Amino acid sequence: MIYNILIVDDEEGIRMAIKRALEKHRIDFPFLDEPIKLSLYEAESAERALEILSDTHMDIILLDNKLPGMQGIDIMPYLNEHYPDTKILIITSFASLDIALEATKHGAFDFIPKPFTPQELKNAIEIASKQIYLNSIIKDMDKEARKIRFKFLSILSHELKTPITTLEGYIYMIKEKQLGDNIDNYMELIDKMLNKLEEMRTLIMDLLDFTNLQAESTIGEKELLSLKEIIMFSIDSQRPLAIQKSITFDIDIKSPLNIFASKNEMEILFNNLINNAIKYNKNNGKIIIKGEENDNNIIIKIKDTGIGINENDLPHIFDEFYRTVDAKSRRLSGTGLGLSIVKKMIELYNGTIEVESKVNEYTEFTIILPKIEDNKTKNFIDN
């Protein structure tokens, strides 16, 4: 397998340095028969880059913003429209990080600040390549569901290597008593280990939920549930996280909100939404949850007073593996699968989810679920 990479920079020295760093580099993922090779192309201007793109498909573009004639950021709309599957990495100086962030909002996959080391460049290319490969697997899932799903899980489990390596290092520090004999000296390490374990647990659970939903499989048997009880349980289980940020809850749910559904699925759904409302909220913020029902539907609104979602991110927040620019820049942990899982679960129940947001003010999700799925459900409730 070969990935084509286009290097767009008006400085020949930069282009040559990038080529030297990448020309012999190979990228290895689980279940690949052989590593991915990189085929490198170069252009000294945006105009020349567009000429090459018209003849050759590129998987990754390394795009310098400061180009003669046409700036790198100026061609982002064109690249997004005509090459939506190509991953674009903006190369910029530290003084131009604001431009790089703006480019990311307009569809750039990531940015690489100058000066960068060969290893930093390789890491960025590997992350982009991993995303390309995962996207190709997702597209093929319908054709080879079992085989591809197994590959998909195996590749993403590869993501567990970093936290496992970190945990191993901490454990050896404790075993060898590198901080002395006093157990109090190790409390910070233990807290970090617990955080890493939580990241791993979240990743594994998201992957399992996602693959089940890709196959349109129900997670658990359906039963008569009170969504009010599910929501209150989710709040109680995550209240310690809210307390850490001094976040308060304002709950207005007057009826039980009965529904015939899988308890596991409803818990996953509301755990994701409430966890997001905490994670992306501000210190001393508030989470407002309202629930009501009419003859046909249950309507639940979950609103936070947090960082909000940029209007360029809003159309994509339910996409698999999508993470907003603010989430990346603030280094908030996450798999980019949570809201995708939420949307797929709601759609399994013929429901809908909508989002409204204003940056630095609020984000509000509105979930509408049919009260009664079919006649069998109605008879169950009546009896």
Side-chain angles (χ1 to χ4, degrees):
M1 185 182 299
I2 298 175
Y3 282 175
N4 292 335
I5 298 179
L6 177 59
I7 306 161
V8 187
D9 198 301
D10 61 324
E11 294 183 39
E12 184 178 5
I14 296 291
R15 298 198 305 272
M16 294 302 296
I18 292 174
K19 289 183 71 173
R20 282 196 301 270
L22 297 179
E23 60 187 359
K24 294 183 179 180
H25 186 53
R26 300 292 182 265
I27 300 171
D28 199 8
F29 291 146
F31 295 95
L32 281 178
D33 294 331
E34 57 183 23
I36 296 171
K37 298 179 181 179
L38 305 178
S39 181
L40 305 176
Y41 298 74
E42 59 179 299
E44 70 282 358
S45 65
E47 291 83 355
R48 176 57 183 151
L50 293 177
E51 290 177 7
I52 294 173
L53 285 166
S54 66
D55 295 326
T56 307
H57 169 74
M58 293 294 157
D59 298 289
I60 299 171
I61 299 175
L62 292 169
L63 180 63
D64 185 29
N65 186 57
K66 291 187 176 181
L67 296 170
M70 185 185 298
Q71 295 292 294
I73 198 170
D74 293 336
I75 65 171
M76 288 299 303
Y78 180 89
L79 295 176
N80 284 330
E81 180 180 354
H82 292 85
Y83 309 100
D85 294 330
T86 299
K87 302 301 178 188
I88 303 168
L89 281 67
I90 294 289
I91 301 174
T92 181
S93 65
F94 282 115
S96 303
L97 279 179
D98 54 335
I99 295 175
L101 287 170
E102 187 67 20
T104 305
K105 292 177 184 178
H106 286 84
F109 179 75
D110 206 347
F111 59 87
I112 306 173
K114 294 179 181 177
F116 51 83
T117 66
Q119 189 57 50
E120 287 171 339
L121 175 65
K122 291 175 183 177
N123 289 343
I125 293 296
E126 288 192 6
I127 291 170
S129 299
K130 187 182 299 182
Q131 190 70 59
I132 293 168
Y133 189 48
L134 290 174
N135 288 344
S136 69
I137 289 176
I138 291 171
K139 288 181 180 179
D140 292 336
M141 270 188 167
D142 289 339
K143 299 178 182 178
E144 300 180 83
R146 289 186 180 179
K147 179 180 176 182
I148 298 299
R149 195 177 301 118
F150 183 62
K151 280 187 177 181
F152 177 68
L153 281 170
S154 300
I155 293 166
L156 283 179
S157 66
H158 186 65
E159 295 295 311
L160 294 173
K161 285 186 177 180
T162 298
I164 287 174
T165 301
T166 302
L167 283 172
E168 184 179 31
Y170 290 154
I171 290 169
Y172 274 113
M173 288 181 69
I174 295 172
K175 180 181 178 182
E176 296 171 3
K177 298 183 178 180
Q178 293 182 14
L179 300 180
D181 293 327
N182 189 342
I183 188 64
D184 292 338
N185 296 338
Y186 297 92
M187 288 298 104
E188 184 178 351
L189 281 184
I190 292 171
D191 287 339
K192 289 180 179 179
M193 291 168 67
L194 291 172
N195 288 336
K196 288 295 178 184
L197 287 170
E198 177 61 21
E199 288 178 14
M200 294 163 67
R201 187 194 70 82
T202 300
L203 173 62
I204 292 168
M205 295 307 297
D206 279 355
L207 294 177
L208 291 174
D209 295 341
F210 181 74
T211 50
N212 276 322
L213 290 168
Q214 285 294 106
E216 297 187 353
S217 300
T218 301
I219 306 172
E221 295 296 325
K222 292 184 179 181
E223 58 184 299
L224 184 61
L225 301 171
S226 163
L227 288 186
K228 180 178 181 179
E229 291 182 4
I230 297 288
I231 291 169
M232 297 308 297
F233 178 80
S234 179
I235 291 171
D236 288 341
S237 65
Q238 301 190 68
R239 197 177 293 277
L241 298 176
I243 290 173
Q244 291 176 20
K245 299 176 71 173
S246 300
I247 293 170
T248 58
F249 289 88
D250 184 351
I251 314 297
D252 181 14
I253 305 176
K254 295 182 173 62
S255 62
L257 306 181
N258 289 328
I259 189 172
F260 193 65
S262 159
K263 183 178 180 181
N264 285 342
E265 288 179 345
M266 293 300 106
E267 287 179 348
I268 291 168
L269 192 162
F270 288 104
N271 281 341
N272 266 298
L273 290 173
I274 292 171
N275 182 265
N276 276 0
I278 296 171
K279 183 191 300 183
Y280 299 105
N281 215 324
K282 301 171 184 174
N283 291 335
N284 301 305
K286 182 182 289 187
I287 297 173
I288 303 162
I289 302 177
K290 296 182 179 180
E292 61 182 6
E293 55 186 317
N294 54 35
D295 290 341
N296 300 314
N297 298 313
I298 293 171
I299 303 164
I300 298 169
K301 295 179 180 287
I302 300 177
K303 182 177 183 179
D304 66 66
T305 56
I307 62 176
I309 303 170
N310 188 285
E311 62 179 8
N312 295 309
D313 287 318
L314 274 175
H316 306 289
I317 61 168
F318 296 110
D319 295 349
E320 293 96 347
F321 304 105
Y322 188 81
R323 303 201 66 218
T324 67
V325 172
D326 279 335
K328 292 178 183 176
S329 62
R330 294 169 189 254
R331 299 187 182 277
L332 295 170
S333 63
T335 62
L337 286 173
L339 288 177
S340 173
I341 290 170
V342 165
K343 188 172 188 291
K344 289 179 185 296
M345 281 187 175
I346 290 172
E347 289 175 346
L348 283 179
Y349 288 88
N350 298 316
T352 61
I353 181 169
E354 297 178 352
V355 59
E356 293 182 12
S357 187
K358 189 170 183 180
V359 173
N360 292 324
E361 290 193 18
Y362 73 91
T363 297
E364 182 177 56
F365 289 93
T366 300
I367 303 100
I368 300 177
L369 292 167
K371 287 175 64 176
I372 298 177
E373 189 180 62
D374 50 31
N375 290 331
K376 179 181 177 181
T377 306
K378 186 177 187 303
N379 292 335
F380 181 93
I381 294 174
D382 290 342
N383 293 331

